[in-house]
Amino acid sequence: MGCSSSSAKDKKSEKVLRATLIIQNWYRGYRARLKARQHYALAIFQSIEYADEQSQMQLSNFFSFMLENYTRVHEEDPKLASRLFESNVQDIKDRQDYVGLVEVPDSYEGPRLQFPLSFPDIDLLIEAFKKQQILHAHYVLEVLFETKKILMQKSNFTHINTSPSKEITICGDLHGKLDDLFMIFYKNGLPSEKNSYIFNGDFVDRGKNSVEILMILFVSFLVYPNNLHLNRGNHEDFMMNLRYGFTREVLHKYKIHGKKILQMLEEVYTWLPIGTIIDNEILVIHGGISDSTDLCLLHRVQRNKMKSVLMPPMSIIGDNASNLKKNKLGVTINMPDKTEQNDSFSEQLSKHEWEQVTDILWSDPRGRKGCYPNTSRGGGCYFGPDVTSKVLSKYQLKLLIRSHECKPEGYEICHDGKVITVFSASNYYEEGSNRGAYIRLSFGTSLRFFQYQVTKATYSKPLHQRVNTIESSAIKILKERIIGRKTDLIRAFQLQDHSRSGKISTTQWAFSMENVLGLNLPWRSLSSHLVNTDKNGDIDYMSSFQDIHIEKPVKEAQSTVIETLYRYRSDLQIIFNIIDSDHSGLISMEEFRAMWNLFSSHYNVHIDDFQLQSSVRIPYASDPQLSGSGLQG
């Protein structure tokens, strides 16, 4: 009887064990599927982010094209040519020109800074921003002016040393996410003589609190200029700010003095150091390197001449070569004075210098050996582990720390431990999409990584809800990209649809999507979110555009015209923002037509004047809006 009881218990235990294993295997598979969905969503976000940056970099070619056609523009519309090519930004030399003319009224209830600044001002500013107070434009301008004065005394690369008693914290991209900066200071302490920081670029754009982040960092820098170090990122660039939100943020928060603040910021950006070297062993730069990176040259280059990566040095073109002058945009224009021509070229980096700086601001590491063009971003290069070893060895360095790329865990180690990416903006794409991180190091010790995720609701939701949120947001922005190429996609689908059935195979659909959009995405895996598939596995390709369309601003406009304007809306907004000197959101039809003629010629876009005119009877700031299920504009 005892043997029988023991046998029954063994069988029961075996069933429990088997059930436990089945549940474990199911749960592991379930989590793996959720992680795969999360991975695909992040791939969508990153691919579209890089495609936008590629478009931004391509604008530099357009501005070169504008230079070549300057004479024609001038003949057609001298007033427009003057606004585009002649500088209206005076060199900011005197504090009185900017700060003294902006008074702080007695009614102002925000933080009041006391110059020269001290530690209490940092604390005062942080507490004010936690209460969502706005720093008065007078103080913003004074901080910018004082920051520029100190930055002008700094070298291109800041050389610092650690010691057993002195640690340094390295932070990556913040992108206007103020809560992440608060979290870093909460966990790691405020900057001080004993608590040094390096902020490795991309302080601004995308997030809604770029002004506040800049003010905290600059005030901390002014209090501790030898303990808080700032590197320039690719978004410390006034042309990038036009596309990615910082310009709009400044003009919204400072409606009266916003333009003055932006002009001052252009100057400050150019004086930011381009790198930091720790203990003569660790190179900290925003982007990366190339096989031609010359640190000796980069130490000597006049960094303040790099106004914008989108404005490369202009070569002498044709008959216009004898009369050239530098303007606000970094392009050159026809002017009669040869002396001014020589002065203008002395204000520009050489092409080789420009490429060197662009590489360290824009490049990304990859596992493949060699150095090849960064086709995803359109600027800088991809560099392999062999390039890393070669450059580090050449300059007797041991490690490259860089930022520039969002990583799911906030940091990533590659190239046999010789390259570390650190990214400090958590929830970068969407709530729960990624952690932020920072690095602490001291002399003779290993690097220590600290991760965090600033959130109000993420961890209260189960994993599947978090993934659903990230995935839905990713699919939404992907559909926005798809609808902007509707005509091209239909044409590609129809080339595959030999029977004119309205259906093609999944392979044919995936090929067409990648061929037109060029986003390097796993289209077959994403098809279930984007299209309807029949029982035979064939795709109804017109379902690619279901539940979404571009709302016409006027009834007379053809869909193809609106689609084209929608596709290039970000590029056009940047160009029109430059024309719109008073930031009213309005430009004349003549200005629009003159610029569109150049734009359409350069981008090979064909729209006749009647269709163009019927499509733009609205302020340029009002985009055609997306509408449809889940995609309200």
Side-chain angles (χ1 to χ4, degrees), residues 425-480:
S426 66
N427 308 304
Y428 178 59
Y429 295 119
E430 182 60 63
E431 184 79 11
S433 63
N434 65 284
R435 294 182 180 185
Y438 59 87
I439 302 170
R440 281 185 71 87
L441 64 94
S442 61
F443 185 78
T445 63
S446 300
L447 303 182
R448 289 179 291 153
F449 299 89
F450 295 83
Q451 298 166 289
Y452 54 87
Q453 192 155 26
V454 176
T455 179
K456 296 175 181 176
T458 300
Y459 286 118
S460 63
K461 295 179 182 178
L463 178 62
H464 76 274
Q465 286 188 14
R466 282 182 269 154
V467 172
N468 285 344
T469 301
I470 298 167
E471 190 176 60
S472 297
S473 181
I475 294 299
K476 174 184 173 180
I477 66 167
L478 181 56
K479 284 189 173 184
E480 291 175 3

Short mmCIF file of all heavy atoms in Angstrom, two decimals, residues 425-480:
data_model
loop_
_atom_site.label_atom_id
_atom_site.label_comp_id
_atom_site.label_asym_id
_atom_site.label_seq_id
_atom_site.Cartn_x
_atom_site.Cartn_y
_atom_site.Cartn_z
N ALA A 425 18.53 59.81 -23.16
CA ALA A 425 17.11 60.16 -23.28
C ALA A 425 16.28 58.89 -23.25
O ALA A 425 16.19 58.17 -24.24
CB ALA A 425 16.87 60.93 -24.57
N SER A 426 15.69 58.59 -22.09
CA SER A 426 14.82 57.40 -22.03
C SER A 426 13.49 57.70 -22.71
O SER A 426 13.13 58.87 -22.91
CB SER A 426 14.60 56.99 -20.57
OG SER A 426 13.86 57.96 -19.86
N ASN A 427 12.76 56.64 -23.07
CA ASN A 427 11.46 56.80 -23.75
C ASN A 427 11.59 57.71 -24.98
O ASN A 427 10.72 58.54 -25.26
CB ASN A 427 10.41 57.39 -22.79
CG ASN A 427 10.32 56.63 -21.50
OD1 ASN A 427 10.08 55.42 -21.49
ND2 ASN A 427 10.53 57.31 -20.38
N TYR A 428 12.67 57.54 -25.70
CA TYR A 428 13.02 58.46 -26.79
C TYR A 428 11.97 58.47 -27.89
O TYR A 428 11.54 59.53 -28.36
CB TYR A 428 14.38 58.07 -27.34
CG TYR A 428 14.87 58.88 -28.51
CD1 TYR A 428 15.04 60.27 -28.40
CD2 TYR A 428 15.19 58.29 -29.72
CE1 TYR A 428 15.51 61.02 -29.45
CE2 TYR A 428 15.67 59.03 -30.79
CZ TYR A 428 15.82 60.39 -30.66
OH TYR A 428 16.29 61.13 -31.71
N TYR A 429 11.57 57.28 -28.33
CA TYR A 429 10.59 57.20 -29.41
C TYR A 429 9.16 57.19 -28.89
O TYR A 429 8.25 57.74 -29.51
CB TYR A 429 10.83 55.93 -30.23
CG TYR A 429 12.14 55.92 -30.97
CD1 TYR A 429 13.08 54.93 -30.72
CD2 TYR A 429 12.42 56.88 -31.93
CE1 TYR A 429 14.28 54.90 -31.41
CE2 TYR A 429 13.63 56.86 -32.62
CZ TYR A 429 14.55 55.86 -32.36
OH TYR A 429 15.73 55.84 -33.04
N GLU A 430 8.97 56.50 -27.76
CA GLU A 430 7.64 56.32 -27.21
C GLU A 430 7.79 55.89 -25.76
O GLU A 430 8.85 55.38 -25.37
CB GLU A 430 6.88 55.25 -28.02
CG GLU A 430 5.47 54.97 -27.60
CD GLU A 430 4.57 56.20 -27.67
OE1 GLU A 430 4.36 56.74 -28.78
OE2 GLU A 430 4.10 56.61 -26.60
N GLU A 431 6.78 56.09 -24.95
CA GLU A 431 6.82 55.68 -23.56
C GLU A 431 7.19 54.20 -23.46
O GLU A 431 6.51 53.33 -24.03
CB GLU A 431 5.46 55.92 -22.90
CG GLU A 431 5.39 55.62 -21.43
CD GLU A 431 5.98 56.73 -20.56
OE1 GLU A 431 6.26 57.81 -21.08
OE2 GLU A 431 6.16 56.49 -19.37
N GLY A 432 8.28 53.89 -22.78
CA GLY A 432 8.71 52.51 -22.61
C GLY A 432 9.59 51.97 -23.71
O GLY A 432 9.99 50.81 -23.68
N SER A 433 9.95 52.81 -24.70
CA SER A 433 10.71 52.30 -25.85
C SER A 433 12.16 51.97 -25.51
O SER A 433 12.76 51.07 -26.11
CB SER A 433 10.67 53.29 -27.01
OG SER A 433 11.30 54.51 -26.66
N ASN A 434 12.76 52.70 -24.56
CA ASN A 434 14.18 52.47 -24.25
C ASN A 434 14.53 53.05 -22.89
O ASN A 434 13.85 53.95 -22.39
CB ASN A 434 15.08 53.11 -25.31
CG ASN A 434 14.97 54.63 -25.33
OD1 ASN A 434 13.99 55.18 -25.83
ND2 ASN A 434 15.96 55.31 -24.77
N ARG A 435 15.59 52.54 -22.32
CA ARG A 435 16.15 53.12 -21.10
C ARG A 435 17.14 54.23 -21.46
O ARG A 435 17.64 54.28 -22.57
CB ARG A 435 16.88 52.05 -20.29
CG ARG A 435 16.00 50.96 -19.73
CD ARG A 435 16.83 50.00 -18.91
NE ARG A 435 16.04 48.92 -18.34
CZ ARG A 435 16.51 48.00 -17.52
NH1 ARG A 435 17.79 48.02 -17.18
NH2 ARG A 435 15.72 47.06 -17.04
N GLY A 436 17.43 55.07 -20.49
CA GLY A 436 18.53 56.01 -20.60
C GLY A 436 19.69 55.48 -19.76
O GLY A 436 19.51 54.60 -18.91
N ALA A 437 20.88 56.03 -20.00
CA ALA A 437 22.05 55.58 -19.23
C ALA A 437 23.08 56.69 -19.14
O ALA A 437 23.06 57.64 -19.92
CB ALA A 437 22.66 54.33 -19.86
N TYR A 438 23.95 56.57 -18.16
CA TYR A 438 25.15 57.40 -18.08
C TYR A 438 26.29 56.53 -17.57
O TYR A 438 26.08 55.42 -17.06
CB TYR A 438 24.94 58.64 -17.21
CG TYR A 438 24.54 58.39 -15.78
CD1 TYR A 438 25.48 58.19 -14.77
CD2 TYR A 438 23.19 58.38 -15.41
CE1 TYR A 438 25.12 57.97 -13.45
CE2 TYR A 438 22.81 58.16 -14.09
CZ TYR A 438 23.77 57.96 -13.12
OH TYR A 438 23.40 57.74 -11.82
N ILE A 439 27.51 57.02 -17.73
CA ILE A 439 28.71 56.26 -17.37
C ILE A 439 29.50 57.04 -16.32
O ILE A 439 29.66 58.26 -16.43
CB ILE A 439 29.61 56.04 -18.61
CG1 ILE A 439 28.85 55.30 -19.72
CG2 ILE A 439 30.88 55.28 -18.23
CD1 ILE A 439 29.60 55.27 -21.05
N ARG A 440 30.00 56.32 -15.32
CA ARG A 440 30.92 56.93 -14.35
C ARG A 440 32.27 56.25 -14.45
O ARG A 440 32.35 55.02 -14.62
CB ARG A 440 30.38 56.78 -12.92
CG ARG A 440 29.30 57.80 -12.59
CD ARG A 440 28.87 57.72 -11.13
NE ARG A 440 29.88 58.24 -10.22
CZ ARG A 440 30.01 59.51 -9.88
NH1 ARG A 440 29.20 60.42 -10.41
NH2 ARG A 440 30.93 59.91 -9.02
N LEU A 441 33.32 57.05 -14.38
CA LEU A 441 34.66 56.48 -14.43
C LEU A 441 35.60 57.28 -13.55
O LEU A 441 35.41 58.48 -13.33
CB LEU A 441 35.18 56.43 -15.86
CG LEU A 441 35.42 57.74 -16.62
CD1 LEU A 441 36.85 58.20 -16.48
CD2 LEU A 441 35.08 57.58 -18.08
N SER A 442 36.56 56.61 -13.02
CA SER A 442 37.63 57.26 -12.27
C SER A 442 38.94 56.57 -12.61
O SER A 442 38.95 55.50 -13.23
CB SER A 442 37.36 57.21 -10.75
OG SER A 442 37.29 55.87 -10.31
N PHE A 443 40.03 57.16 -12.21
CA PHE A 443 41.36 56.69 -12.61
C PHE A 443 41.60 55.25 -12.13
O PHE A 443 41.40 54.93 -10.96
CB PHE A 443 42.42 57.61 -12.04
CG PHE A 443 43.82 57.28 -12.49
CD1 PHE A 443 44.25 57.66 -13.75
CD2 PHE A 443 44.68 56.55 -11.67
CE1 PHE A 443 45.53 57.36 -14.18
CE2 PHE A 443 45.94 56.24 -12.09
CZ PHE A 443 46.38 56.64 -13.35
N GLY A 444 42.00 54.39 -13.08
CA GLY A 444 42.41 53.04 -12.73
C GLY A 444 41.29 52.08 -12.39
O GLY A 444 41.55 50.97 -11.91
N THR A 445 40.02 52.47 -12.62
CA THR A 445 38.91 51.57 -12.32
C THR A 445 38.10 51.31 -13.58
O THR A 445 38.21 52.03 -14.58
CB THR A 445 37.98 52.18 -11.25
OG1 THR A 445 37.41 53.40 -11.76
CG2 THR A 445 38.76 52.49 -9.97
N SER A 446 37.28 50.27 -13.53
CA SER A 446 36.43 49.93 -14.67
C SER A 446 35.28 50.92 -14.79
O SER A 446 34.86 51.55 -13.80
CB SER A 446 35.86 48.51 -14.50
OG SER A 446 36.90 47.57 -14.43
N LEU A 447 34.76 51.06 -16.01
CA LEU A 447 33.60 51.91 -16.23
C LEU A 447 32.39 51.31 -15.52
O LEU A 447 32.22 50.09 -15.47
CB LEU A 447 33.29 52.03 -17.73
CG LEU A 447 34.41 52.56 -18.65
CD1 LEU A 447 33.89 52.66 -20.07
CD2 LEU A 447 34.90 53.91 -18.18
N ARG A 448 31.56 52.18 -14.98
CA ARG A 448 30.32 51.72 -14.36
C ARG A 448 29.14 52.36 -15.09
O ARG A 448 29.12 53.56 -15.34
CB ARG A 448 30.30 52.10 -12.87
CG ARG A 448 31.28 51.29 -12.04
CD ARG A 448 31.23 51.72 -10.59
NE ARG A 448 31.79 53.07 -10.43
CZ ARG A 448 31.44 53.91 -9.46
NH1 ARG A 448 30.52 53.56 -8.57
NH2 ARG A 448 32.00 55.09 -9.37
N PHE A 449 28.17 51.52 -15.44
CA PHE A 449 27.01 51.96 -16.22
C PHE A 449 25.78 52.04 -15.31
O PHE A 449 25.51 51.12 -14.54
CB PHE A 449 26.73 50.99 -17.37
CG PHE A 449 27.88 50.89 -18.35
CD1 PHE A 449 28.89 49.96 -18.16
CD2 PHE A 449 27.94 51.72 -19.45
CE1 PHE A 449 29.95 49.86 -19.05
CE2 PHE A 449 29.00 51.63 -20.35
CZ PHE A 449 30.00 50.71 -20.14
N PHE A 450 25.05 53.14 -15.44
CA PHE A 450 23.84 53.34 -14.64
C PHE A 450 22.67 53.54 -15.61
O PHE A 450 22.72 54.40 -16.49
CB PHE A 450 23.99 54.55 -13.72
CG PHE A 450 25.06 54.37 -12.67
CD1 PHE A 450 26.39 54.63 -12.98
CD2 PHE A 450 24.74 53.94 -11.40
CE1 PHE A 450 27.40 54.47 -12.02
CE2 PHE A 450 25.72 53.77 -10.43
CZ PHE A 450 27.06 54.03 -10.73
N GLN A 451 21.61 52.75 -15.42
CA GLN A 451 20.45 52.81 -16.30
C GLN A 451 19.24 53.33 -15.52
O GLN A 451 19.15 53.19 -14.30
CB GLN A 451 20.12 51.42 -16.85
CG GLN A 451 21.23 50.81 -17.70
CD GLN A 451 21.00 49.33 -17.93
OE1 GLN A 451 21.15 48.53 -17.01
NE2 GLN A 451 20.63 48.97 -19.15
N TYR A 452 18.30 53.89 -16.25
CA TYR A 452 17.07 54.40 -15.64
C TYR A 452 16.02 54.54 -16.72
O TYR A 452 16.30 54.47 -17.93
CB TYR A 452 17.32 55.77 -14.99
CG TYR A 452 17.92 56.78 -15.95
CD1 TYR A 452 17.11 57.56 -16.75
CD2 TYR A 452 19.31 56.91 -16.08
CE1 TYR A 452 17.65 58.45 -17.65
CE2 TYR A 452 19.86 57.80 -16.97
CZ TYR A 452 19.02 58.57 -17.76
OH TYR A 452 19.57 59.44 -18.65
N GLN A 453 14.79 54.71 -16.28
CA GLN A 453 13.70 55.00 -17.22
C GLN A 453 12.72 55.92 -16.52
O GLN A 453 12.06 55.54 -15.56
CB GLN A 453 13.00 53.72 -17.68
CG GLN A 453 12.06 53.94 -18.85
CD GLN A 453 11.87 52.67 -19.67
OE1 GLN A 453 12.02 51.57 -19.16
NE2 GLN A 453 11.55 52.83 -20.94
N VAL A 454 12.66 57.14 -17.00
CA VAL A 454 11.75 58.12 -16.42
C VAL A 454 10.35 57.83 -16.93
O VAL A 454 10.13 57.79 -18.14
CB VAL A 454 12.16 59.55 -16.81
CG1 VAL A 454 11.15 60.56 -16.28
CG2 VAL A 454 13.56 59.87 -16.30
N THR A 455 9.44 57.61 -16.02
CA THR A 455 8.10 57.25 -16.46
C THR A 455 7.08 57.49 -15.36
O THR A 455 7.40 57.42 -14.18
CB THR A 455 8.04 55.77 -16.88
OG1 THR A 455 6.71 55.47 -17.27
CG2 THR A 455 8.46 54.85 -15.75
N LYS A 456 5.87 57.79 -15.79
CA LYS A 456 4.77 57.95 -14.84
C LYS A 456 3.87 56.72 -14.84
O LYS A 456 3.15 56.47 -13.88
CB LYS A 456 3.95 59.19 -15.20
CG LYS A 456 4.73 60.49 -15.07
CD LYS A 456 3.91 61.67 -15.55
CE LYS A 456 4.72 62.97 -15.45
NZ LYS A 456 3.98 64.12 -15.99
N ALA A 457 3.90 55.98 -15.93
CA ALA A 457 2.94 54.88 -16.03
C ALA A 457 3.51 53.57 -16.56
O ALA A 457 2.86 52.53 -16.47
CB ALA A 457 1.78 55.31 -16.93
N THR A 458 4.73 53.60 -17.13
CA THR A 458 5.23 52.42 -17.85
C THR A 458 5.20 51.16 -17.01
O THR A 458 4.68 50.13 -17.43
CB THR A 458 6.68 52.67 -18.32
OG1 THR A 458 6.68 53.79 -19.18
CG2 THR A 458 7.20 51.47 -19.07
N TYR A 459 5.76 51.21 -15.82
CA TYR A 459 5.91 49.98 -15.06
C TYR A 459 4.61 49.51 -14.41
O TYR A 459 4.54 48.42 -13.87
CB TYR A 459 7.02 50.14 -14.01
CG TYR A 459 8.37 50.11 -14.64
CD1 TYR A 459 9.21 51.22 -14.56
CD2 TYR A 459 8.81 49.01 -15.37
CE1 TYR A 459 10.46 51.22 -15.17
CE2 TYR A 459 10.06 49.01 -15.98
CZ TYR A 459 10.88 50.11 -15.87
OH TYR A 459 12.11 50.11 -16.47
N SER A 460 3.57 50.36 -14.42
CA SER A 460 2.29 49.92 -13.91
C SER A 460 1.52 49.13 -14.96
O SER A 460 0.50 48.52 -14.67
CB SER A 460 1.45 51.13 -13.46
OG SER A 460 1.18 51.98 -14.57
N LYS A 461 2.02 49.14 -16.20
CA LYS A 461 1.38 48.40 -17.28
C LYS A 461 2.12 47.08 -17.52
O LYS A 461 3.35 47.05 -17.45
CB LYS A 461 1.40 49.22 -18.58
CG LYS A 461 0.59 50.50 -18.54
CD LYS A 461 0.70 51.23 -19.87
CE LYS A 461 -0.07 52.54 -19.86
NZ LYS A 461 0.09 53.27 -21.14
N PRO A 462 1.40 46.02 -17.84
CA PRO A 462 2.08 44.77 -18.20
C PRO A 462 2.84 44.93 -19.50
O PRO A 462 2.57 45.84 -20.30
CB PRO A 462 0.93 43.77 -18.33
CG PRO A 462 -0.30 44.57 -18.51
CD PRO A 462 -0.06 45.89 -17.83
N LEU A 463 3.78 44.00 -19.73
CA LEU A 463 4.66 44.11 -20.89
C LEU A 463 3.89 44.18 -22.20
O LEU A 463 4.22 44.97 -23.08
CB LEU A 463 5.62 42.91 -20.91
CG LEU A 463 6.58 42.85 -22.11
CD1 LEU A 463 7.50 44.06 -22.12
CD2 LEU A 463 7.41 41.55 -22.06
N HIS A 464 2.83 43.37 -22.33
CA HIS A 464 2.13 43.34 -23.62
C HIS A 464 1.46 44.68 -23.92
O HIS A 464 1.39 45.11 -25.07
CB HIS A 464 1.09 42.20 -23.66
CG HIS A 464 -0.16 42.46 -22.88
ND1 HIS A 464 -0.27 42.18 -21.54
CD2 HIS A 464 -1.36 42.97 -23.26
CE1 HIS A 464 -1.47 42.49 -21.12
NE2 HIS A 464 -2.15 42.98 -22.14
N GLN A 465 1.00 45.39 -22.87
CA GLN A 465 0.42 46.72 -23.10
C GLN A 465 1.48 47.73 -23.51
O GLN A 465 1.26 48.58 -24.36
CB GLN A 465 -0.31 47.19 -21.85
CG GLN A 465 -1.64 46.49 -21.60
CD GLN A 465 -2.41 47.12 -20.46
OE1 GLN A 465 -2.09 48.23 -20.02
NE2 GLN A 465 -3.42 46.43 -19.97
N ARG A 466 2.65 47.63 -22.90
CA ARG A 466 3.75 48.53 -23.27
C ARG A 466 4.16 48.31 -24.72
O ARG A 466 4.36 49.26 -25.48
CB ARG A 466 4.94 48.31 -22.34
CG ARG A 466 4.78 48.96 -20.98
CD ARG A 466 6.02 48.74 -20.13
NE ARG A 466 5.92 47.54 -19.31
CZ ARG A 466 6.95 46.85 -18.87
NH1 ARG A 466 8.17 47.21 -19.19
NH2 ARG A 466 6.77 45.79 -18.12
N VAL A 467 4.27 47.04 -25.10
CA VAL A 467 4.65 46.72 -26.48
C VAL A 467 3.57 47.18 -27.45
O VAL A 467 3.88 47.72 -28.52
CB VAL A 467 4.93 45.21 -26.63
CG1 VAL A 467 5.13 44.85 -28.10
CG2 VAL A 467 6.16 44.81 -25.83
N ASN A 468 2.30 46.99 -27.09
CA ASN A 468 1.20 47.44 -27.96
C ASN A 468 1.27 48.94 -28.21
O ASN A 468 1.06 49.42 -29.32
CB ASN A 468 -0.15 47.09 -27.33
CG ASN A 468 -0.48 45.61 -27.44
OD1 ASN A 468 0.14 44.89 -28.22
ND2 ASN A 468 -1.43 45.16 -26.64
N THR A 469 1.59 49.71 -27.15
CA THR A 469 1.68 51.17 -27.28
C THR A 469 2.82 51.56 -28.21
O THR A 469 2.65 52.40 -29.11
CB THR A 469 1.90 51.81 -25.90
OG1 THR A 469 0.81 51.47 -25.05
CG2 THR A 469 2.01 53.32 -26.01
N ILE A 470 3.99 50.96 -28.00
CA ILE A 470 5.15 51.26 -28.85
C ILE A 470 4.88 50.87 -30.29
O ILE A 470 5.15 51.62 -31.23
CB ILE A 470 6.40 50.52 -28.33
CG1 ILE A 470 6.74 51.00 -26.90
CG2 ILE A 470 7.59 50.72 -29.25
CD1 ILE A 470 7.76 50.12 -26.20
N GLU A 471 4.29 49.67 -30.46
CA GLU A 471 4.03 49.15 -31.80
C GLU A 471 3.02 50.01 -32.55
O GLU A 471 3.21 50.34 -33.73
CB GLU A 471 3.51 47.71 -31.68
CG GLU A 471 3.42 46.96 -32.98
CD GLU A 471 2.99 45.53 -32.73
OE1 GLU A 471 1.89 45.31 -32.19
OE2 GLU A 471 3.76 44.62 -33.08
N SER A 472 1.95 50.43 -31.86
CA SER A 472 0.92 51.26 -32.50
C SER A 472 1.50 52.59 -32.97
O SER A 472 1.20 53.07 -34.07
CB SER A 472 -0.24 51.51 -31.53
OG SER A 472 -0.88 50.30 -31.20
N SER A 473 2.32 53.19 -32.14
CA SER A 473 2.95 54.46 -32.50
C SER A 473 3.88 54.30 -33.69
O SER A 473 3.91 55.14 -34.60
CB SER A 473 3.72 55.01 -31.29
OG SER A 473 4.31 56.25 -31.60
N ALA A 474 4.64 53.20 -33.71
CA ALA A 474 5.56 52.94 -34.83
C ALA A 474 4.80 52.73 -36.13
O ALA A 474 5.18 53.26 -37.19
CB ALA A 474 6.43 51.73 -34.51
N ILE A 475 3.72 51.95 -36.07
CA ILE A 475 2.93 51.68 -37.28
C ILE A 475 2.29 52.98 -37.79
O ILE A 475 2.20 53.21 -39.00
CB ILE A 475 1.84 50.63 -36.99
CG1 ILE A 475 2.49 49.26 -36.69
CG2 ILE A 475 0.88 50.50 -38.17
CD1 ILE A 475 3.33 48.68 -37.82
N LYS A 476 1.90 53.84 -36.86
CA LYS A 476 1.31 55.11 -37.27
C LYS A 476 2.28 55.94 -38.10
O LYS A 476 1.93 56.43 -39.19
CB LYS A 476 0.87 55.91 -36.04
CG LYS A 476 0.38 57.31 -36.38
CD LYS A 476 0.05 58.10 -35.13
CE LYS A 476 -0.27 59.55 -35.48
NZ LYS A 476 -0.59 60.37 -34.30
N ILE A 477 3.51 56.12 -37.61
CA ILE A 477 4.46 56.95 -38.36
C ILE A 477 4.90 56.26 -39.65
O ILE A 477 5.22 56.93 -40.64
CB ILE A 477 5.68 57.36 -37.51
CG1 ILE A 477 6.55 56.15 -37.13
CG2 ILE A 477 5.27 58.11 -36.28
CD1 ILE A 477 7.91 56.55 -36.57
N LEU A 478 4.88 54.92 -39.67
CA LEU A 478 5.20 54.20 -40.90
C LEU A 478 4.11 54.43 -41.95
O LEU A 478 4.41 54.64 -43.13
CB LEU A 478 5.37 52.71 -40.61
CG LEU A 478 5.75 51.83 -41.81
CD1 LEU A 478 7.03 52.32 -42.49
CD2 LEU A 478 5.92 50.38 -41.37
N LYS A 479 2.86 54.42 -41.52
CA LYS A 479 1.76 54.67 -42.46
C LYS A 479 1.83 56.10 -43.01
O LYS A 479 1.48 56.34 -44.17
CB LYS A 479 0.42 54.41 -41.78
CG LYS A 479 0.09 52.93 -41.62
CD LYS A 479 -1.34 52.72 -41.15
CE LYS A 479 -1.70 51.25 -41.18
NZ LYS A 479 -3.12 51.01 -40.80
N GLU A 480 2.27 57.02 -42.19
CA GLU A 480 2.44 58.40 -42.67
C GLU A 480 3.48 58.44 -43.78
O GLU A 480 3.34 59.18 -44.76
CB GLU A 480 2.86 59.31 -41.52
CG GLU A 480 1.77 59.54 -40.49
CD GLU A 480 2.26 60.34 -39.29
OE1 GLU A 480 3.42 60.78 -39.30
OE2 GLU A 480 1.47 60.53 -38.36
#
